[in-house]
Amino acid sequence: MGLPVSNFLLSVDRIEQTAAIGAPATIISILFAVAFMLVVPGCRTIRDDSVAVVGIAVRLLTIGALPIIGFCIGFQAVLGFSWGAQDFARVARRPRSSCFP
């Protein structure tokens, strides 16, 4: 196939670039999970019915949160291709135009 092994080696620069592109979606997912972990035990002390109410509320919040998370994950490809092409002007321009169409 002709791909050298050196293309697959991790370097500090590649890890930093990957972390910079993947950080927004990762942070949103982690914060969502932490918030849910903090809410459910607090509801158990009140009543079991409150856990069911929180479950419904979380599902309703997920309807709004998952499209945003999906958009962030999909947008990583656009930024990644621009970064790989070393078109840094496009990388700097894209986040502003994607958040506010």
Side-chain angles (χ1 to χ4, degrees):
M1 199 161 156
L3 293 174
V5 176
S6 63
N7 286 348
F8 299 102
L9 296 177
L10 291 177
S11 66
V12 174
D13 185 46
R14 287 184 184 173
I15 293 172
E16 287 176 354
Q17 292 175 7
T18 304
I21 295 294
T26 303
I27 290 171
I28 289 172
S29 297
I30 290 171
L31 289 176
F32 191 72
V34 168
F36 189 65
M37 286 178 5
L38 294 174
V39 167
V40 170
C43 291
R44 283 189 188 153
T45 60
I46 300 170
R47 270 182 75 176
D48 289 339
D49 296 341
S50 60
V51 176
V53 170
V54 168
I56 293 168
V58 167
R59 286 182 189 239
L60 292 174
L61 289 172
T62 303
I63 291 171
L66 284 180
I68 293 170
I69 293 170
F71 180 76
C72 289
I73 292 170
F75 190 65
Q76 289 174 6
V78 173
L79 286 178
F81 288 131
S82 298
W83 191 276
Q86 296 183 352
D87 187 0
F88 301 114
R90 185 175 183 187
V91 171
R93 193 174 60 240
R94 281 294 127 201
R96 281 180 261 142
S97 65
S98 68
C99 294
F100 306 104

